[in-house]
Amino acid sequence: MGRRLATAVHVQHPASREWIVLDPGDEPDEELAAEITNPDAWEDHETAPDEEEQEPEEPKPFGFTALPEAEATPPAPSRGRKTTDAAE
């Protein structure tokens, strides 16, 4: 007995290169099943033992985070503006 699909998939037949739509519950033959690479497409997909035992990772913080403190550098000198005499 082949594996059963959990979702509809579009797959290209490896020999004829024709696009085929497989429905949920279908059990495609081995050459079509080899073309379906998404493990979530299958009803009975088994997760690796490492994936089952791992706890979910904490989400990464979103947005800006504090920057690491850099060495104190003196501020750049401000540029002065020369005034022009309009009365000349």
Side-chain angles (χ1 to χ4, degrees):
M1 182 173 137
R3 297 191 311 172
R4 186 180 302 245
L5 288 170
T7 62
V9 294
H10 295 234
V11 64
Q12 195 171 23
H13 193 278
S16 67
R17 308 311 290 168
E18 177 184 12
W19 284 101
I20 301 170
V21 178
L22 300 171
D23 293 320
D26 286 352
E27 295 180 12
D29 58 359
E30 290 302 317
E31 68 178 1
L32 279 178
E35 298 293 315
I36 302 169
T37 58
N38 185 348
D40 293 333
W42 300 102
E43 266 185 11
D44 60 346
H45 75 278
E46 296 178 11
T47 57
D50 295 340
E51 292 178 11
E52 291 176 357
E53 295 174 6
Q54 292 179 353
E55 294 182 16
E57 294 182 16
E58 291 293 321
K60 295 182 180 178
F62 181 77
F64 294 105
T65 58
L67 297 176
E69 292 187 30
E71 294 180 19
T73 56
S78 61
R79 299 177 107 184
R81 293 184 118 181
K82 291 184 179 181
T83 57
T84 57
D85 294 331
E88 288 183 31

